[in-house]
Amino acid sequence: MKSLIILLPAIFIVTLVFGQKSVPPGNLAAWKAAKWEAKPLTDAEKKSKPAQFDNVMGKAQYVRACKACHGEKGLGDGTKAPTLKTFPGDFSSIEFQRQTDEVIFWKTKYGGADMPKYVGKVDDETIWNMVSYMRNFKK
Ligand code: HEC
């Protein structure tokens, strides 16, 4: 009887752990669970944030450099998205939109996984304008 008391919860835990299907890449749940920590910005980066964003410029740059993977509306459904190992994320989601401008700036500039780096390729002011443009994807 005593062994049964130990055995049953053990079986329960094992089923819980191994019973879960591992989430394939390109999956929203996997993306949400992924931890991608942004580092604090430098003083120069903070200073480069424009007082007034240029959304027209932000959009033009987004369409040119980001749309292929992230999709026109930031849903992660660009034409290149199926070739990526990691789902690019859903920019219309609360999970994305609740991040600060600074975090989105950092992720855009320094990249991670299948996300390219833009440091040295796109200047900071342009990145800020893209950050502002990405706010338009909010549901
Ligand atoms: C080659 C495909 C590709 C291109 C081009 C690309 N990205 Fe990404 N991006 C990704 C992938 C894949 C991820 C998810 C990485 C991860 O979760 O580890 C990502 C993630 C991001 C994130 C973080 C999303 C989150 O969950 O917080 C931001 C912000 C971002 N990209 C912005 C941009 C911007 C702005 C551009 C254009 C300047 C761009 N990306 C171009 C593939 C791309």
Side-chain angles (χ1 to χ4, degrees), residues 31 34 36 61-62 65-70 80 84 86-89 91 95-96 99 103-105 107-108 112-116 118 122 130 134:
W31 165 71
W36 190 18
Q61 285 293 326
Y62 178 87
C66 326
K67 194 182 130 186
C69 293
H70 288 287
K80 259 180 103 173
L84 303 170
T86 344
F87 175 59
F91 293 169
E95 286 80 4
F96 177 80
Q99 302 182 96
V103 166
I104 299 174
F105 176 98
K107 289 178 170 181
T108 302
D114 287 341
M115 166 67 196
Y118 287 94
V122 179
M130 290 195 286
M134 285 186 265

Side-chain angles (χ1 to χ4, degrees), residues 52-74:
Q52 197 101 58
F53 290 118
D54 184 343
N55 261 308
V56 176
M57 190 251 240
K59 180 178 181 175
Q61 285 293 326
Y62 178 87
V63 168
R64 195 183 62 80
C66 326
K67 194 182 130 186
C69 293
H70 288 287
E72 194 176 352
K73 301 233 151 53

